[in-house]
Amino acid sequence: MTTAAAVIREAAGDAFATPRLGLVLGSGLGGLADAIEDATAIAYAELPGFPVGSVAGHAGRLVLGTLAGTPVVVLQGRAHLYEGIPVSDLAVPVRTVRALGAEAIVLTNAAGSLRGEVGPGRLMALTDHINMMGVNPLTGLNDDAIGPRFVGLGDAYDVELRAALHAAAAGEDVDLGEGVYLAVGGPSFETPAEIRAFKILGADAVGMSTVPEVIVARHCGLRVAAVSAITNLAEGMGDEVLTHEHTLASAAVAAKDLQRVLTRFVKDYN
Ligand code: HPA
């Protein structure tokens, strides 16, 4: 069976350079892909096993090339559980990043904030997560060649990579907060009562992605860093009406800062 990694190597040909890092660009955050040099871009639909999403704001293509001098592979947009994608299929893009030779992955997403002082447009480096999706992408037979049956998540969000994110943010004069991300299945936004409950559980941000990718990444040995672009105060905390259009508009504000932080992070990555 031809793997996605084989298709990508073939498409890049002589231009193939082993990526050091994978970057997953979430809702409205795909602009960084345009800064990739010597780019080979492939639509997810061309990549065996890749789930193809249908949500506005997600380009759905993989871009291989260099960013600020560092070889990277960028996943511009992602598929989500709420699109009816089986959770195990969400493993394929992350495992492809690993199969191409990357050692770490940086995951980004748009999220609602449960902290009143961290409003729309702000960035939050994730320190940990709470999985309220009700599913786990590693359910089913384990492939021991990829990773262990039982994977620990005690150190899922890499301390060194997070420190490097903070250094990059400081260098770019961007305010980067920290917090715990709680993942829901979506696609409905939360109720005010759920948000009150999630606060008690210890969540700082809420969103509909990222956690399956973190689990798969740790399983296959990728180091993980993750950043939420805060697009709104979570339901019941502010007076804005939550819509996907609002998410995309607010993500555009945070995306500019995120792009600068990630570019410096990648430049200084060693
Ligand atoms: N809830 C869930 N997902 C989100 C939100 C939210 O408030 N904002 C952006 N993605």
Side-chain angles (χ1 to χ4, degrees):
M1 192 187 72
T2 312
T3 63
V7 172
I8 296 158
R9 280 173 197 270
E10 170 91 20
D14 290 344
F16 183 81
T18 300
R20 309 256 345 259
L21 287 167
L23 298 161
V24 179
L25 306 178
S27 290
L29 304 172
L32 189 62
D34 298 332
I36 305 300
E37 292 171 37
D38 304 317
T40 301
I42 309 172
Y44 291 163
E46 309 294 322
L47 295 171
F50 261 58
V52 179
S54 58
V55 177
H58 289 261
R61 60 182 195 144
L62 177 147
V63 185
L64 186 79
T66 57
L67 177 63
T70 302
V72 295
V73 54
V74 175
L75 298 171
Q76 191 180 14
R78 56 159 66 86
H80 303 82
L81 209 55
Y82 60 72
E83 296 175 78
I85 311 281
V87 68
S88 53
D89 288 8
L90 300 181
V92 176
V94 174
R95 286 183 180 154
T96 300
V97 166
R98 184 61 166 157
L100 290 169
E103 63 227 26
I105 192 163
V106 182
L107 303 160
T108 67
N109 59 52
S113 174
L114 283 79
R115 291 230 307 267
E117 78 283 9
V118 184
R122 290 278 306 277
L123 300 177
M124 206 187 270
L126 304 188
T127 57
D128 207 339
H129 76 225
I130 299 171
N131 183 4
M132 294 290 272
M133 287 181 147
V135 289
N136 190 302
L138 303 179
T139 300
L141 284 179
N142 187 59
D143 183 344
D144 294 334
I146 296 175
R149 169 76 288 187
F150 301 102
V151 59
L153 295 177
D155 56 355
Y157 296 79
D158 193 281
V159 173
E160 280 175 30
L161 293 183
R162 194 156 76 242
L165 276 176
H166 280 293
E172 292 295 330
D173 223 3
V174 169
D175 204 356
L176 178 65
E178 275 199 350
V180 172
Y181 177 89
L182 184 147
V184 292
S188 53
F189 288 107
E190 301 68 41
T191 63
E194 284 168 341
I195 293 301
R196 287 195 297 276
F198 294 165
K199 266 192 206 172
I200 294 167
L201 292 180
D204 300 298
V206 60
M208 304 174 191
S209 68
T210 305
V211 161
E213 293 154 354
V214 171
I215 294 169
V216 170
R218 294 307 298 144
H219 178 249
C220 69
L222 284 164
R223 296 169 72 193
V224 169
V227 184
S228 285
I230 300 300
T231 55
N232 55 280
L233 290 177
E235 190 59 82
M237 294 178 60
D239 41 24
E240 59 208 344
V241 178
L242 302 188
T243 62
H244 187 58
E245 290 66 35
H246 179 272
T247 296
L248 292 182
S250 301
V253 178
K256 293 200 183 77
D257 281 350
L258 183 61
Q259 214 154 307
R260 282 170 35 228
V261 171
L262 289 185
T263 302
R264 187 183 278 245
F265 171 87
V266 169
K267 179 163 171 272
D268 294 345
Y269 183 77
N270 52 39

